[in-house]
Amino acid sequence: EVQLVESGGGLVQAGGSLRLSCAGSRFTFSNYGGSWVRQAPGKGPEWVSTIKPGGGSSTYYADSVKGRFTISRDNSQNTFYLQMNNLKPEDTAVYYCNADRCPPAGCWSYAWGQGTQVTVSS
C-alpha cells in the first residue's frame, strides 16, 4: 500500500524558513504528482502547492504562498519537498503530503501522509 511520511516541521519565528520532506514508498513514485495541503486549527484544508510528474515537473502554488514556497521532487530518493521561506504566523498548520494522479486535465489526490506540524510565532 502507498506510504507517505512527512518530516521537517517545527517551531520557527516569523520570517524564518523550514524545509518539509515527504518520503514515499510502496508505489511507483515517478508516475505520481505531489501536493502539499495544510490545515490550520479549527479550519478546513487548504491546498498549498502541486508538482506534476514527468520531465517538465510543472509546479503550481496557492496565491497565499506564491513567491515564498517552492515545491520540488527527487525521484531518485522518492521524496517530495516544500521549501518554505519568509514564514508568517498564518502559515501555522499541519502540513500533509499527497501523492496525486495527474492526467493532462489536472491532478487528483490518491494518498496522503499523517502530516507534520509547522508553527510560526509572531
Side-chain angles (χ1 to χ4, degrees):
E1 197 68 34
V2 171
Q3 181 178 353
L4 297 166
V5 180
E6 301 94 334
S7 63
L11 175 65
V12 66
Q13 292 183 326
S17 298
L18 287 172
R19 187 173 79 156
L20 306 184
S21 298
C22 171
S25 62
R26 298 157 74 177
F27 69 104
T28 306
F29 186 87
S30 61
N31 289 344
Y32 287 79
S35 291
W36 291 93
V37 175
R38 65 188 182 186
Q39 188 165 16
K43 297 184 177 181
E46 176 191 14
W47 170 77
V48 174
S49 184
T50 293
I51 184 166
K52 285 190 171 183
S57 297
S58 299
T59 58
Y60 307 87
Y61 300 92
D63 288 342
S64 58
V65 306
K66 198 172 299 180
R68 300 189 296 120
F69 291 11
T70 303
I71 191 170
S72 61
R73 66 189 299 158
D74 186 343
N75 289 340
S76 70
Q77 297 294 320
N78 288 353
T79 303
F80 299 112
Y81 301 97
L82 185 69
Q83 178 67 47
M84 306 184 295
N85 297 327
N86 192 24
L87 283 161
K88 303 176 180 180
E90 52 262 44
D91 295 319
T92 295
V94 177
Y95 284 70
Y96 298 93
C97 176
N98 294 258
D100 298 341
R101 295 192 182 277
C102 291
C107 297
W108 303 91
S109 179
Y110 178 72
W112 56 93
Q114 295 299 305
T116 185
Q117 176 71 49
V118 171
T119 303
V120 184
S121 62
S122 59

